[in-house]
Short mmCIF file of all heavy atoms in Angstrom, two decimals:
data_model
loop_
_atom_site.label_atom_id
_atom_site.label_comp_id
_atom_site.label_asym_id
_atom_site.label_seq_id
_atom_site.Cartn_x
_atom_site.Cartn_y
_atom_site.Cartn_z
N MET A 1 -6.75 -4.68 12.83
CA MET A 1 -5.31 -4.74 12.83
C MET A 1 -4.79 -3.65 13.78
O MET A 1 -5.22 -2.51 13.72
CB MET A 1 -4.80 -4.51 11.40
CG MET A 1 -3.34 -4.75 11.21
SD MET A 1 -2.82 -4.55 9.48
CE MET A 1 -2.82 -6.23 8.94
N LYS A 2 -3.86 -4.02 14.64
CA LYS A 2 -3.29 -3.09 15.61
C LYS A 2 -2.39 -2.07 14.89
O LYS A 2 -1.78 -2.39 13.86
CB LYS A 2 -2.46 -3.85 16.64
CG LYS A 2 -3.29 -4.77 17.50
CD LYS A 2 -2.40 -5.52 18.46
CE LYS A 2 -3.22 -6.50 19.26
NZ LYS A 2 -2.38 -7.30 20.18
N PRO A 3 -2.29 -0.83 15.45
CA PRO A 3 -1.47 0.20 14.80
C PRO A 3 -0.03 -0.23 14.53
O PRO A 3 0.52 0.08 13.46
CB PRO A 3 -1.52 1.36 15.80
CG PRO A 3 -2.80 1.18 16.52
CD PRO A 3 -3.00 -0.32 16.62
N GLU A 4 0.58 -0.97 15.45
CA GLU A 4 1.96 -1.40 15.22
C GLU A 4 2.05 -2.43 14.09
O GLU A 4 3.04 -2.48 13.36
CB GLU A 4 2.62 -1.93 16.50
CG GLU A 4 1.89 -3.03 17.21
CD GLU A 4 0.80 -2.57 18.19
OE1 GLU A 4 0.57 -1.37 18.35
OE2 GLU A 4 0.17 -3.44 18.79
N GLU A 5 0.99 -3.23 13.92
CA GLU A 5 0.96 -4.19 12.80
C GLU A 5 0.81 -3.45 11.48
O GLU A 5 1.45 -3.80 10.49
CB GLU A 5 -0.20 -5.17 12.98
CG GLU A 5 -0.04 -6.11 14.15
CD GLU A 5 -1.27 -6.95 14.41
OE1 GLU A 5 -2.41 -6.44 14.29
OE2 GLU A 5 -1.10 -8.14 14.73
N VAL A 6 -0.03 -2.41 11.49
CA VAL A 6 -0.21 -1.61 10.28
C VAL A 6 1.11 -0.94 9.89
O VAL A 6 1.48 -0.91 8.72
CB VAL A 6 -1.33 -0.56 10.47
CG1 VAL A 6 -1.43 0.34 9.24
CG2 VAL A 6 -2.66 -1.23 10.74
N LYS A 7 1.85 -0.43 10.88
CA LYS A 7 3.16 0.19 10.60
C LYS A 7 4.13 -0.80 9.99
O LYS A 7 4.87 -0.47 9.06
CB LYS A 7 3.76 0.76 11.88
CG LYS A 7 3.18 2.07 12.29
CD LYS A 7 3.90 2.64 13.49
CE LYS A 7 3.28 3.96 13.89
NZ LYS A 7 3.96 4.58 15.01
N THR A 8 4.12 -2.03 10.49
CA THR A 8 5.01 -3.06 9.95
C THR A 8 4.66 -3.37 8.51
O THR A 8 5.54 -3.44 7.64
CB THR A 8 4.92 -4.34 10.81
OG1 THR A 8 5.32 -4.03 12.14
CG2 THR A 8 5.81 -5.44 10.26
N VAL A 9 3.38 -3.54 8.22
CA VAL A 9 2.94 -3.83 6.86
C VAL A 9 3.23 -2.63 5.96
O VAL A 9 3.70 -2.80 4.82
CB VAL A 9 1.45 -4.23 6.83
CG1 VAL A 9 0.97 -4.42 5.41
CG2 VAL A 9 1.22 -5.50 7.63
N MET A 10 2.97 -1.43 6.46
CA MET A 10 3.23 -0.22 5.68
C MET A 10 4.70 -0.16 5.27
O MET A 10 5.02 0.19 4.13
CB MET A 10 2.85 1.02 6.50
CG MET A 10 3.25 2.34 5.90
SD MET A 10 2.06 2.95 4.74
CE MET A 10 2.77 4.54 4.32
N SER A 11 5.59 -0.52 6.17
CA SER A 11 7.02 -0.48 5.85
C SER A 11 7.39 -1.47 4.75
O SER A 11 8.33 -1.25 4.00
CB SER A 11 7.88 -0.70 7.09
OG SER A 11 7.76 -2.02 7.56
N GLU A 12 6.65 -2.57 4.65
CA GLU A 12 6.87 -3.53 3.56
C GLU A 12 6.49 -2.91 2.21
O GLU A 12 7.15 -3.16 1.20
CB GLU A 12 6.06 -4.81 3.78
CG GLU A 12 6.63 -5.72 4.83
CD GLU A 12 7.96 -6.33 4.41
OE1 GLU A 12 8.13 -6.70 3.24
OE2 GLU A 12 8.83 -6.42 5.29
N PHE A 13 5.42 -2.12 2.20
CA PHE A 13 4.97 -1.46 0.97
C PHE A 13 5.83 -0.25 0.64
O PHE A 13 6.14 0.00 -0.52
CB PHE A 13 3.51 -1.02 1.11
CG PHE A 13 2.50 -2.11 0.90
CD1 PHE A 13 2.23 -3.03 1.90
CD2 PHE A 13 1.79 -2.21 -0.28
CE1 PHE A 13 1.28 -4.02 1.72
CE2 PHE A 13 0.84 -3.20 -0.47
CZ PHE A 13 0.59 -4.12 0.53
N ASP A 14 6.18 0.53 1.65
CA ASP A 14 6.91 1.79 1.47
C ASP A 14 8.42 1.52 1.38
O ASP A 14 9.19 1.81 2.29
CB ASP A 14 6.60 2.73 2.64
CG ASP A 14 7.28 4.07 2.53
OD1 ASP A 14 7.71 4.44 1.41
OD2 ASP A 14 7.38 4.76 3.56
N LYS A 15 8.85 0.97 0.29
CA LYS A 15 10.24 0.58 0.10
C LYS A 15 11.21 1.76 0.13
O LYS A 15 12.36 1.61 0.52
CB LYS A 15 10.43 -0.20 -1.21
CG LYS A 15 9.72 -1.54 -1.21
CD LYS A 15 10.30 -2.42 -0.12
CE LYS A 15 9.65 -3.77 -0.11
NZ LYS A 15 10.04 -4.56 1.05
N GLU A 16 10.76 2.94 -0.27
CA GLU A 16 11.63 4.12 -0.27
C GLU A 16 11.73 4.74 1.12
O GLU A 16 12.58 5.59 1.36
CB GLU A 16 11.12 5.14 -1.28
CG GLU A 16 11.21 4.63 -2.71
CD GLU A 16 10.54 5.55 -3.71
OE1 GLU A 16 10.09 6.65 -3.33
OE2 GLU A 16 10.47 5.17 -4.89
N GLY A 17 10.83 4.34 2.04
CA GLY A 17 10.86 4.86 3.40
C GLY A 17 10.51 6.33 3.52
O GLY A 17 10.90 7.00 4.47
N ASP A 18 9.73 6.83 2.57
CA ASP A 18 9.38 8.25 2.57
C ASP A 18 8.02 8.56 3.19
O ASP A 18 7.53 9.68 3.11
CB ASP A 18 9.46 8.82 1.15
CG ASP A 18 8.67 8.02 0.15
OD1 ASP A 18 7.86 7.15 0.54
OD2 ASP A 18 8.85 8.26 -1.06
N GLY A 19 7.40 7.55 3.79
CA GLY A 19 6.13 7.78 4.49
C GLY A 19 4.89 7.66 3.65
O GLY A 19 3.79 7.90 4.14
N HIS A 20 5.05 7.29 2.40
CA HIS A 20 3.88 7.05 1.57
C HIS A 20 4.17 5.96 0.53
O HIS A 20 5.32 5.64 0.26
CB HIS A 20 3.39 8.34 0.90
CG HIS A 20 4.36 8.95 -0.06
ND1 HIS A 20 5.16 10.00 0.28
CD2 HIS A 20 4.66 8.65 -1.35
CE1 HIS A 20 5.91 10.34 -0.76
NE2 HIS A 20 5.62 9.52 -1.75
N ILE A 21 3.10 5.43 -0.02
CA ILE A 21 3.21 4.36 -1.03
C ILE A 21 2.85 4.97 -2.38
O ILE A 21 1.78 5.57 -2.53
CB ILE A 21 2.26 3.20 -0.70
CG1 ILE A 21 2.60 2.63 0.68
CG2 ILE A 21 2.32 2.12 -1.77
CD1 ILE A 21 1.52 1.74 1.26
N ASP A 22 3.74 4.82 -3.34
CA ASP A 22 3.45 5.32 -4.68
C ASP A 22 3.02 4.16 -5.58
O ASP A 22 3.01 3.00 -5.17
CB ASP A 22 4.64 6.09 -5.25
CG ASP A 22 5.90 5.25 -5.41
OD1 ASP A 22 5.81 4.03 -5.64
OD2 ASP A 22 7.00 5.83 -5.32
N LEU A 23 2.67 4.50 -6.78
CA LEU A 23 2.17 3.50 -7.73
C LEU A 23 3.19 2.40 -7.99
O LEU A 23 2.85 1.21 -8.02
CB LEU A 23 1.77 4.18 -9.05
CG LEU A 23 1.23 3.27 -10.14
CD1 LEU A 23 -0.01 2.51 -9.67
CD2 LEU A 23 0.92 4.08 -11.39
N GLU A 24 4.44 2.77 -8.15
CA GLU A 24 5.50 1.80 -8.42
C GLU A 24 5.65 0.81 -7.25
O GLU A 24 5.76 -0.40 -7.47
CB GLU A 24 6.82 2.52 -8.66
CG GLU A 24 7.95 1.61 -9.05
CD GLU A 24 9.22 2.39 -9.34
OE1 GLU A 24 9.14 3.48 -9.94
OE2 GLU A 24 10.29 1.90 -8.95
N GLU A 25 5.64 1.32 -6.03
CA GLU A 25 5.77 0.46 -4.85
C GLU A 25 4.58 -0.49 -4.72
O GLU A 25 4.76 -1.69 -4.46
CB GLU A 25 5.89 1.31 -3.57
CG GLU A 25 7.20 2.05 -3.48
CD GLU A 25 7.21 3.10 -2.38
OE1 GLU A 25 6.18 3.78 -2.16
OE2 GLU A 25 8.27 3.24 -1.74
N LEU A 26 3.37 0.04 -4.90
CA LEU A 26 2.17 -0.80 -4.78
C LEU A 26 2.16 -1.88 -5.85
O LEU A 26 1.91 -3.05 -5.55
CB LEU A 26 0.92 0.07 -4.88
CG LEU A 26 -0.40 -0.67 -4.68
CD1 LEU A 26 -0.50 -1.28 -3.29
CD2 LEU A 26 -1.58 0.26 -4.94
N THR A 27 2.46 -1.51 -7.08
CA THR A 27 2.47 -2.48 -8.17
C THR A 27 3.52 -3.56 -7.92
O THR A 27 3.25 -4.75 -8.11
CB THR A 27 2.75 -1.77 -9.51
OG1 THR A 27 1.77 -0.75 -9.71
CG2 THR A 27 2.69 -2.74 -10.68
N ALA A 28 4.70 -3.16 -7.48
CA ALA A 28 5.78 -4.13 -7.23
C ALA A 28 5.39 -5.13 -6.15
O ALA A 28 5.57 -6.34 -6.34
CB ALA A 28 7.06 -3.40 -6.85
N ILE A 29 4.87 -4.66 -5.05
CA ILE A 29 4.59 -5.59 -3.96
C ILE A 29 3.39 -6.49 -4.27
O ILE A 29 3.39 -7.66 -3.93
CB ILE A 29 4.42 -4.87 -2.60
CG1 ILE A 29 4.65 -5.88 -1.49
CG2 ILE A 29 3.08 -4.20 -2.47
CD1 ILE A 29 5.03 -5.29 -0.18
N LEU A 30 2.38 -5.96 -4.93
CA LEU A 30 1.22 -6.79 -5.25
C LEU A 30 1.51 -7.81 -6.34
O LEU A 30 0.81 -8.81 -6.46
CB LEU A 30 0.01 -5.93 -5.62
CG LEU A 30 -0.59 -5.12 -4.46
CD1 LEU A 30 -1.79 -4.32 -4.94
CD2 LEU A 30 -0.97 -6.02 -3.29
N ASN A 31 2.56 -7.56 -7.11
CA ASN A 31 2.94 -8.51 -8.15
C ASN A 31 4.09 -9.42 -7.73
O ASN A 31 4.62 -10.16 -8.54
CB ASN A 31 3.26 -7.77 -9.45
CG ASN A 31 2.00 -7.26 -10.10
OD1 ASN A 31 1.08 -8.03 -10.38
ND2 ASN A 31 1.92 -5.98 -10.33
N GLY A 32 4.48 -9.33 -6.47
CA GLY A 32 5.45 -10.27 -5.93
C GLY A 32 6.90 -9.94 -6.17
O GLY A 32 7.75 -10.77 -5.89
N SER A 33 7.22 -8.74 -6.64
CA SER A 33 8.63 -8.41 -6.83
C SER A 33 9.18 -7.74 -5.56
O SER A 33 9.72 -6.68 -5.59
CB SER A 33 8.84 -7.54 -8.06
OG SER A 33 7.79 -6.66 -8.27
N SER A 34 8.98 -8.44 -4.45
CA SER A 34 9.47 -7.98 -3.16
C SER A 34 9.68 -9.19 -2.26
O SER A 34 9.54 -10.32 -2.68
CB SER A 34 8.46 -7.03 -2.52
OG SER A 34 7.34 -7.77 -2.08
N SER A 35 9.95 -8.93 -1.01
CA SER A 35 10.17 -10.01 -0.05
C SER A 35 8.88 -10.70 0.37
O SER A 35 8.91 -11.76 0.98
CB SER A 35 10.90 -9.47 1.18
OG SER A 35 10.10 -8.48 1.80
N THR A 36 7.74 -10.11 0.05
CA THR A 36 6.46 -10.69 0.47
C THR A 36 5.78 -11.36 -0.72
O THR A 36 4.78 -10.89 -1.23
CB THR A 36 5.55 -9.62 1.08
OG1 THR A 36 5.52 -8.50 0.21
CG2 THR A 36 6.01 -9.21 2.46
N LYS A 37 6.34 -12.47 -1.14
CA LYS A 37 5.83 -13.19 -2.31
C LYS A 37 4.40 -13.68 -2.12
O LYS A 37 3.69 -13.88 -3.09
CB LYS A 37 6.73 -14.40 -2.62
CG LYS A 37 8.16 -14.04 -2.91
CD LYS A 37 8.31 -13.34 -4.22
CE LYS A 37 9.77 -13.12 -4.55
NZ LYS A 37 10.00 -12.18 -5.57
N ASP A 38 3.95 -13.84 -0.86
CA ASP A 38 2.60 -14.33 -0.62
C ASP A 38 1.52 -13.32 -1.00
O ASP A 38 0.35 -13.67 -1.08
CB ASP A 38 2.43 -14.74 0.84
CG ASP A 38 2.73 -13.63 1.82
OD1 ASP A 38 3.61 -12.80 1.54
OD2 ASP A 38 2.09 -13.62 2.88
N LEU A 39 1.88 -12.06 -1.29
CA LEU A 39 0.90 -11.07 -1.70
C LEU A 39 0.67 -11.07 -3.21
O LEU A 39 -0.15 -10.31 -3.70
CB LEU A 39 1.35 -9.67 -1.28
CG LEU A 39 1.30 -9.37 0.20
CD1 LEU A 39 1.85 -7.98 0.47
CD2 LEU A 39 -0.10 -9.48 0.75
N ARG A 40 1.37 -11.91 -3.91
CA ARG A 40 1.31 -11.95 -5.37
C ARG A 40 -0.14 -12.02 -5.85
O ARG A 40 -0.83 -13.00 -5.64
CB ARG A 40 2.11 -13.13 -5.89
CG ARG A 40 2.53 -12.99 -7.31
CD ARG A 40 3.43 -14.11 -7.70
NE ARG A 40 4.74 -13.89 -7.07
CZ ARG A 40 5.71 -14.75 -7.14
NH1 ARG A 40 5.56 -15.88 -7.78
NH2 ARG A 40 6.86 -14.49 -6.57
N GLN A 41 -0.62 -10.94 -6.49
CA GLN A 41 -2.01 -10.87 -6.95
C GLN A 41 -2.13 -10.57 -8.43
O GLN A 41 -3.23 -10.54 -8.95
CB GLN A 41 -2.76 -9.79 -6.17
CG GLN A 41 -2.90 -10.09 -4.70
CD GLN A 41 -3.70 -9.03 -3.98
OE1 GLN A 41 -4.36 -8.20 -4.58
NE2 GLN A 41 -3.63 -9.06 -2.68
N LYS A 42 -1.03 -10.30 -9.09
CA LYS A 42 -1.04 -9.93 -10.50
C LYS A 42 -2.00 -8.76 -10.75
O LYS A 42 -3.00 -8.86 -11.43
CB LYS A 42 -1.39 -11.13 -11.40
CG LYS A 42 -0.37 -12.24 -11.33
CD LYS A 42 0.99 -11.77 -11.77
CE LYS A 42 2.02 -12.86 -11.61
NZ LYS A 42 3.37 -12.36 -11.59
N CYS A 43 -1.66 -7.66 -10.15
CA CYS A 43 -2.43 -6.42 -10.24
C CYS A 43 -1.81 -5.56 -11.33
O CYS A 43 -0.62 -5.24 -11.26
CB CYS A 43 -2.37 -5.72 -8.88
SG CYS A 43 -3.39 -4.27 -8.73
N SER A 44 -2.60 -5.19 -12.33
CA SER A 44 -2.07 -4.35 -13.40
C SER A 44 -1.79 -2.94 -12.87
O SER A 44 -2.29 -2.54 -11.81
CB SER A 44 -3.06 -4.27 -14.57
OG SER A 44 -4.17 -3.46 -14.21
N VAL A 45 -1.02 -2.19 -13.62
CA VAL A 45 -0.72 -0.82 -13.23
C VAL A 45 -2.01 -0.01 -13.13
O VAL A 45 -2.20 0.77 -12.19
CB VAL A 45 0.27 -0.16 -14.22
CG1 VAL A 45 0.44 1.32 -13.94
CG2 VAL A 45 1.62 -0.87 -14.18
N LEU A 46 -2.93 -0.22 -14.05
CA LEU A 46 -4.21 0.49 -14.01
C LEU A 46 -5.03 0.12 -12.78
O LEU A 46 -5.64 0.98 -12.16
CB LEU A 46 -5.02 0.22 -15.28
CG LEU A 46 -4.50 0.85 -16.56
CD1 LEU A 46 -5.32 0.42 -17.77
CD2 LEU A 46 -4.49 2.37 -16.45
N GLU A 47 -5.03 -1.16 -12.42
CA GLU A 47 -5.75 -1.59 -11.22
C GLU A 47 -5.12 -1.00 -9.96
O GLU A 47 -5.83 -0.57 -9.05
CB GLU A 47 -5.76 -3.12 -11.13
CG GLU A 47 -6.62 -3.78 -12.19
CD GLU A 47 -6.40 -5.28 -12.28
OE1 GLU A 47 -5.24 -5.75 -12.10
OE2 GLU A 47 -7.39 -5.99 -12.54
N CYS A 48 -3.81 -0.96 -9.92
CA CYS A 48 -3.11 -0.37 -8.76
C CYS A 48 -3.37 1.13 -8.69
O CYS A 48 -3.56 1.67 -7.60
CB CYS A 48 -1.62 -0.67 -8.83
SG CYS A 48 -1.23 -2.40 -8.50
N ALA A 49 -3.39 1.80 -9.84
CA ALA A 49 -3.68 3.24 -9.87
C ALA A 49 -5.10 3.50 -9.35
O ALA A 49 -5.33 4.44 -8.59
CB ALA A 49 -3.51 3.79 -11.27
N ALA A 50 -6.04 2.64 -9.73
CA ALA A 50 -7.42 2.78 -9.25
C ALA A 50 -7.49 2.56 -7.75
O ALA A 50 -8.23 3.25 -7.03
CB ALA A 50 -8.33 1.80 -9.98
N MET A 51 -6.70 1.61 -7.25
CA MET A 51 -6.66 1.34 -5.81
C MET A 51 -6.16 2.57 -5.06
O MET A 51 -6.72 2.96 -4.03
CB MET A 51 -5.75 0.14 -5.54
CG MET A 51 -5.96 -0.53 -4.22
SD MET A 51 -4.89 -1.98 -4.01
CE MET A 51 -5.24 -2.96 -5.44
N ILE A 52 -5.11 3.20 -5.57
CA ILE A 52 -4.59 4.41 -4.95
C ILE A 52 -5.65 5.50 -4.97
O ILE A 52 -5.91 6.16 -3.96
CB ILE A 52 -3.27 4.87 -5.61
CG1 ILE A 52 -2.15 3.90 -5.22
CG2 ILE A 52 -2.93 6.30 -5.21
CD1 ILE A 52 -0.83 4.16 -5.88
N THR A 53 -6.28 5.69 -6.10
CA THR A 53 -7.33 6.72 -6.23
C THR A 53 -8.45 6.50 -5.22
O THR A 53 -8.93 7.46 -4.60
CB THR A 53 -7.89 6.73 -7.66
OG1 THR A 53 -6.83 7.03 -8.57
CG2 THR A 53 -9.00 7.76 -7.81
N ASN A 54 -8.82 5.24 -5.01
CA ASN A 54 -9.92 4.93 -4.08
C ASN A 54 -9.59 5.28 -2.63
O ASN A 54 -10.50 5.59 -1.86
CB ASN A 54 -10.30 3.46 -4.17
CG ASN A 54 -11.05 3.13 -5.43
OD1 ASN A 54 -11.69 3.98 -6.03
ND2 ASN A 54 -10.96 1.89 -5.86
N PHE A 55 -8.34 5.20 -2.25
CA PHE A 55 -7.96 5.43 -0.85
C PHE A 55 -7.19 6.73 -0.62
O PHE A 55 -6.91 7.08 0.53
CB PHE A 55 -7.15 4.23 -0.33
CG PHE A 55 -7.99 3.00 -0.20
CD1 PHE A 55 -8.00 2.02 -1.17
CD2 PHE A 55 -8.80 2.83 0.92
CE1 PHE A 55 -8.79 0.89 -1.05
CE2 PHE A 55 -9.60 1.71 1.05
CZ PHE A 55 -9.60 0.74 0.06
N ASP A 56 -6.86 7.44 -1.66
CA ASP A 56 -6.08 8.68 -1.56
C ASP A 56 -6.99 9.85 -1.20
O ASP A 56 -7.42 10.62 -2.04
CB ASP A 56 -5.36 8.93 -2.89
CG ASP A 56 -4.52 10.18 -2.88
OD1 ASP A 56 -4.17 10.66 -1.79
OD2 ASP A 56 -4.23 10.69 -3.98
N VAL A 57 -7.28 9.98 0.08
CA VAL A 57 -8.21 10.99 0.57
C VAL A 57 -7.74 12.41 0.30
O VAL A 57 -8.53 13.27 -0.10
CB VAL A 57 -8.47 10.80 2.09
CG1 VAL A 57 -9.35 11.89 2.66
CG2 VAL A 57 -9.06 9.43 2.36
N ASP A 58 -6.46 12.68 0.47
CA ASP A 58 -5.95 14.04 0.29
C ASP A 58 -5.61 14.38 -1.17
O ASP A 58 -5.24 15.51 -1.47
CB ASP A 58 -4.77 14.34 1.21
CG ASP A 58 -3.56 13.45 0.95
OD1 ASP A 58 -3.53 12.72 -0.06
OD2 ASP A 58 -2.63 13.48 1.79
N GLY A 59 -5.73 13.41 -2.07
CA GLY A 59 -5.56 13.66 -3.50
C GLY A 59 -4.14 13.94 -3.96
O GLY A 59 -3.94 14.50 -5.03
N ASP A 60 -3.14 13.50 -3.17
CA ASP A 60 -1.75 13.77 -3.57
C ASP A 60 -1.15 12.70 -4.48
O ASP A 60 0.00 12.80 -4.90
CB ASP A 60 -0.87 13.99 -2.35
CG ASP A 60 -0.72 12.75 -1.47
OD1 ASP A 60 -1.37 11.72 -1.75
OD2 ASP A 60 0.04 12.82 -0.48
N GLY A 61 -1.92 11.65 -4.77
CA GLY A 61 -1.43 10.60 -5.66
C GLY A 61 -0.68 9.49 -4.95
O GLY A 61 -0.13 8.60 -5.60
N PHE A 62 -0.63 9.55 -3.63
CA PHE A 62 0.07 8.56 -2.82
C PHE A 62 -0.85 8.05 -1.71
O PHE A 62 -1.84 8.69 -1.39
CB PHE A 62 1.32 9.16 -2.16
CG PHE A 62 2.28 9.78 -3.12
CD1 PHE A 62 2.33 11.14 -3.29
CD2 PHE A 62 3.14 8.98 -3.85
CE1 PHE A 62 3.24 11.72 -4.18
CE2 PHE A 62 4.05 9.55 -4.74
CZ PHE A 62 4.09 10.91 -4.90
N ILE A 63 -0.47 6.94 -1.10
CA ILE A 63 -1.16 6.42 0.08
C ILE A 63 -0.27 6.70 1.28
O ILE A 63 0.84 6.16 1.37
CB ILE A 63 -1.43 4.90 -0.04
CG1 ILE A 63 -2.31 4.59 -1.25
CG2 ILE A 63 -2.03 4.35 1.25
CD1 ILE A 63 -3.72 5.13 -1.17
N ASN A 64 -0.74 7.58 2.19
CA ASN A 64 0.02 7.85 3.41
C ASN A 64 -0.40 6.86 4.51
O ASN A 64 -1.26 6.01 4.28
CB ASN A 64 -0.13 9.31 3.85
CG ASN A 64 -1.55 9.66 4.21
OD1 ASN A 64 -2.31 8.88 4.77
ND2 ASN A 64 -1.94 10.89 3.90
N PHE A 65 0.17 7.00 5.70
CA PHE A 65 -0.11 6.04 6.76
C PHE A 65 -1.58 6.00 7.15
O PHE A 65 -2.16 4.92 7.29
CB PHE A 65 0.75 6.32 8.00
CG PHE A 65 0.47 5.35 9.12
CD1 PHE A 65 0.90 4.03 9.02
CD2 PHE A 65 -0.23 5.73 10.23
CE1 PHE A 65 0.62 3.11 10.03
CE2 PHE A 65 -0.51 4.83 11.25
CZ PHE A 65 -0.08 3.52 11.15
N GLN A 66 -2.21 7.16 7.31
CA GLN A 66 -3.62 7.19 7.70
C GLN A 66 -4.50 6.53 6.63
O GLN A 66 -5.43 5.79 6.94
CB GLN A 66 -4.08 8.62 7.97
CG GLN A 66 -3.43 9.26 9.17
CD GLN A 66 -3.68 8.47 10.46
OE1 GLN A 66 -4.76 7.96 10.70
NE2 GLN A 66 -2.65 8.35 11.27
N GLU A 67 -4.22 6.81 5.37
CA GLU A 67 -4.97 6.20 4.27
C GLU A 67 -4.71 4.70 4.21
O GLU A 67 -5.64 3.91 3.97
CB GLU A 67 -4.59 6.88 2.95
CG GLU A 67 -5.00 8.35 2.89
CD GLU A 67 -4.29 9.14 1.83
OE1 GLU A 67 -3.21 8.73 1.33
OE2 GLU A 67 -4.80 10.22 1.48
N PHE A 68 -3.47 4.30 4.44
CA PHE A 68 -3.11 2.89 4.43
C PHE A 68 -3.83 2.14 5.55
O PHE A 68 -4.32 1.05 5.36
CB PHE A 68 -1.60 2.72 4.56
CG PHE A 68 -1.14 1.31 4.41
CD1 PHE A 68 -1.09 0.70 3.16
CD2 PHE A 68 -0.74 0.56 5.51
CE1 PHE A 68 -0.67 -0.61 3.00
CE2 PHE A 68 -0.31 -0.75 5.37
CZ PHE A 68 -0.28 -1.33 4.13
N LYS A 69 -3.91 2.78 6.72
CA LYS A 69 -4.59 2.18 7.86
C LYS A 69 -6.07 1.92 7.52
O LYS A 69 -6.58 0.84 7.79
CB LYS A 69 -4.47 3.10 9.07
CG LYS A 69 -4.95 2.49 10.36
CD LYS A 69 -4.48 3.27 11.58
CE LYS A 69 -4.94 4.68 11.60
NZ LYS A 69 -4.67 5.38 12.87
N LYS A 70 -6.71 2.88 6.88
CA LYS A 70 -8.11 2.70 6.46
C LYS A 70 -8.23 1.59 5.44
O LYS A 70 -9.15 0.78 5.47
CB LYS A 70 -8.67 4.00 5.91
CG LYS A 70 -8.93 5.04 6.96
CD LYS A 70 -9.47 6.31 6.36
CE LYS A 70 -9.63 7.37 7.44
NZ LYS A 70 -10.07 8.64 6.90
N MET A 71 -7.27 1.54 4.51
CA MET A 71 -7.27 0.50 3.48
C MET A 71 -7.13 -0.88 4.11
O MET A 71 -7.84 -1.81 3.73
CB MET A 71 -6.13 0.77 2.50
CG MET A 71 -6.13 -0.12 1.27
SD MET A 71 -4.96 0.45 0.03
CE MET A 71 -3.43 -0.21 0.65
N MET A 72 -6.25 -1.02 5.07
CA MET A 72 -6.02 -2.31 5.73
C MET A 72 -7.23 -2.74 6.56
O MET A 72 -7.55 -3.92 6.62
CB MET A 72 -4.79 -2.27 6.64
CG MET A 72 -3.48 -2.17 5.91
SD MET A 72 -3.05 -3.69 5.03
CE MET A 72 -3.65 -3.37 3.39
N ASN A 73 -7.91 -1.79 7.15
CA ASN A 73 -9.07 -2.13 7.97
C ASN A 73 -10.31 -2.47 7.14
O ASN A 73 -11.23 -3.07 7.64
CB ASN A 73 -9.37 -0.99 8.96
CG ASN A 73 -8.36 -0.95 10.07
OD1 ASN A 73 -7.83 -1.96 10.50
ND2 ASN A 73 -8.04 0.25 10.52
N ARG A 74 -10.30 -2.12 5.86
CA ARG A 74 -11.40 -2.45 4.96
C ARG A 74 -11.26 -3.86 4.37
O ARG A 74 -12.21 -4.43 3.92
CB ARG A 74 -11.49 -1.45 3.83
CG ARG A 74 -12.06 -0.15 4.25
CD ARG A 74 -12.16 0.75 3.07
NE ARG A 74 -13.52 1.22 2.96
CZ ARG A 74 -13.95 1.92 1.94
NH1 ARG A 74 -13.15 2.22 0.95
NH2 ARG A 74 -15.19 2.34 1.91
N SER A 75 -10.05 -4.38 4.37
CA SER A 75 -9.83 -5.68 3.72
C SER A 75 -9.99 -6.83 4.70
O SER A 75 -10.23 -6.72 5.84
CB SER A 75 -8.46 -5.74 3.09
OG SER A 75 -7.46 -5.42 4.02
#
């Protein structure tokens, strides 16, 4: 995925526009309560929290752009 494509997708996840994805944002988008209904995966809060933990390299509890880029390139 090209960097500009990753930025576009990141902006869909980062609804608050603060440069990172929190648990609430990830859960909302993966469960379809956003404009991207095609991502609907029915991901529980615990599953989303585990996803964040797996990719949160700096341990701040959020997914930043660099972490998101790695996450997108793994899928």
Side-chain angles (χ1 to χ4, degrees):
M1 189 177 262
K2 295 178 183 178
E4 55 274 1
E5 293 173 320
V6 176
K7 281 185 180 182
T8 300
V9 175
M10 172 85 176
S11 69
E12 284 293 321
F13 280 79
D14 181 19
K15 293 298 181 189
E16 295 172 5
D18 52 12
H20 64 260
I21 301 165
D22 62 30
L23 180 58
E24 184 178 321
E25 290 168 322
L26 184 62
T27 304
I29 201 158
L30 291 181
N31 287 304
S33 34
S34 72
S35 61
T36 49
K37 300 290 186 196
D38 57 327
L39 289 177
R40 201 174 287 175
Q41 295 182 14
K42 297 299 176 200
C43 186
S44 73
V45 172
L46 289 175
E47 291 168 324
C48 289
M51 199 178 306
I52 288 175
T53 299
N54 287 335
F55 291 98
D56 180 20
V57 176
D58 62 10
D60 65 356
F62 304 101
I63 300 294
N64 63 36
F65 179 72
Q66 294 301 320
E67 295 162 341
F68 186 75
K69 189 165 60 171
K70 288 179 183 176
M71 188 169 81
M72 290 290 95
N73 287 327
R74 285 182 126 187
S75 54

